């Protein structure tokens, strides 16, 4: 591999904020970015969880700080982003990963659950992106990656509100591109398929669901969280400087077939 290729895909000298990165896919993404050279800012609502995640990265010799805030709290987001910029340095890369899932038949879905889901999955992305973009716009550069889902393109019973939030996030990504691309910022979405994590252990351990999933997915299996890192590093690096407003599906081919 040439030095130029390494430079294009390297993240050395960059700082990345990954929301909801105390565990699961967020922590896996944070680790992938850090191993590519980025200094990480781990975010979670729970300070102990964020500190534990950062400690795991530091144990590998990686650079990681923490920022504790709720992405759905616009004022807390602005304060936290301004503090990071003032005390740690510029946020060069933002991954909007924080999200929640709530399941129920749509006719039985509580309005309060709908509101909470949208506050985190959609409003939270707006709040954090706006706060970070103010600084990126002033510098004339930056990378924003929104974590979407195959559910931005496919629906399943009991998760219509979640699918709606991810579909809206896909269009918000394109809208951010329309407003900010001319200022040197690249905004894209990464849409994972079904990945085996602790958070969906019940589905992984359900033989009927796993059999359906493996038959439905051309790759024939669940994804492994580390398989998201290559796409994440690409979208965070200079290699993607002319990629903007796109959604990259990492789903084993699920959205490509009927």
């Amino acid at each position: 591999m040439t030095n130029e290729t390494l430079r294009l895909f390297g993240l050395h000298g960059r700082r990345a904020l990954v929301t909801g990165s105390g565990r699961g896919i967020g922590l896996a993404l944070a680790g992938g970015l850090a191993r590519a050279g980025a200094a990480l800012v781990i975010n979670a609502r729970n300070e102990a969880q964020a500190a534990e995640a950062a400690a795991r990265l530091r144990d590998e010799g990686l650079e990681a700080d923490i920022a504790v805030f709720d992405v759905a709290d616009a004022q807390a987001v602005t304060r936290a982003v301004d503090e990071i910029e003032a005390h740690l340095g510029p946020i060069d890369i933002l991954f909007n990963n924080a999200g929640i899932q709530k399941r129920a038949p749509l006719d039985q879905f509580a309005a309060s659950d709908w509101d909470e889901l949208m506050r985190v999955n959609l409003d939270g992305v707006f709040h954090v992106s706006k706060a970070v973009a103010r600084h990126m716009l002033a510098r004339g550069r930056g990378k924003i990656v929104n974590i979407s889902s195959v559910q931005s393109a496919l629906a399943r019973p009991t998760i219509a509100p979640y699918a709606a939030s991810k579909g809206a996030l896909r269009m918000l990504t394109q809208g951010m591109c329309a407003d900010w691309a001319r200022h040197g910022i690249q905004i894209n979405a990464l849409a994972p398929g079904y990945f085996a994590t602790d958070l969906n252990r019940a589905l992984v351990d359900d033989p009927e669901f796993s059999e359906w999933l493996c038959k439905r997915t051309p790759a024939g299996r669940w994804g492994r969280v580390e398989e998201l890192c290559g796409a994440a590093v690409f979208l965070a690096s200079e290699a993607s400087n002319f990629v903007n407003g796109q959604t990259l599906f990492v789903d084993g081919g699920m959205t490509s077939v009927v």
Side-chain angles (χ1 to χ4, degrees):
M1 188 176 292
T2 67
N3 289 337
E4 176 62 13
T5 301
L6 289 171
R7 185 192 67 78
L8 280 175
F9 286 90
L11 301 179
H12 297 278
R14 309 291 176 84
R15 179 167 286 97
L17 168 62
V18 183
T19 67
S21 51
R23 58 181 179 173
I25 286 176
L27 181 55
L29 292 171
L33 298 173
R35 293 179 195 105
L40 259 294
V41 181
I42 299 291
N43 160 258
R45 289 182 294 182
N46 182 291
E47 184 172 1
Q49 186 182 84
E52 181 181 353
R56 287 174 60 180
L57 295 180
R58 292 191 201 109
D59 286 345
E60 294 185 41
L62 305 172
E63 185 177 347
D65 292 283
I66 68 170
V68 180
F69 61 87
D70 182 348
V71 299
D73 183 337
Q75 292 183 339
V77 166
T78 299
R79 286 195 302 270
V81 168
D82 288 348
E83 286 176 7
I84 292 168
E85 289 270 342
H87 300 295
L88 296 178
I91 299 170
D92 304 292
I93 302 161
L94 168 63
F95 271 69
N96 284 304
N97 171 77
I100 61 173
Q101 172 68 289
K102 291 180 177 290
R103 298 175 183 273
L106 190 56
D107 55 294
Q108 300 171 30
F109 207 91
S112 59
D113 286 342
W114 169 280
D115 291 342
E116 183 183 4
L117 192 149
M118 293 299 171
R119 279 198 303 272
V120 177
N121 292 8
L122 188 58
D123 297 354
V125 173
F126 168 73
H127 296 320
V128 181
S129 297
K130 182 180 176 183
V132 171
R134 286 191 301 111
H135 298 278
M136 290 181 171
L137 290 168
R139 290 189 287 267
R141 59 180 173 81
K143 300 276 186 175
I144 297 175
V145 181
N146 299 322
I147 303 304
S148 184
S149 167
V150 291
Q151 263 74 55
S152 66
L154 302 173
R156 279 185 55 78
T158 75
I159 60 168
Y162 178 83
S165 73
K166 293 302 184 178
L169 180 55
R170 189 173 178 181
M171 286 308 303
L172 181 58
T173 299
Q174 293 180 217
M176 290 178 180
C177 169
D179 277 356
W180 296 339
R182 65 183 180 275
H183 298 290
I185 304 174
Q186 291 84 52
I187 309 97
N188 294 287
L190 181 60
Y194 284 84
F195 283 76
T197 69
D198 290 340
L199 295 179
N200 60 15
R201 177 54 53 188
L203 291 177
V204 176
D205 292 340
D206 182 338
E208 183 178 355
F209 184 86
S210 279
E211 181 182 6
W212 170 85
L213 176 70
C214 292
K215 288 180 178 178
R216 176 66 178 81
T217 305
R221 61 176 175 83
W222 286 82
R224 297 183 290 270
V225 290
E226 60 269 20
E227 292 176 309
L228 289 167
C229 293
V233 170
F234 167 65
L235 292 176
S237 72
E238 289 187 24
S240 61
N241 277 356
F242 204 56
V243 180
N244 224 324
Q246 303 302 307
T247 296
L248 175 57
F249 287 88
V250 183
D251 63 359
M254 174 176 273
T255 52
S256 296
V257 300
V258 175

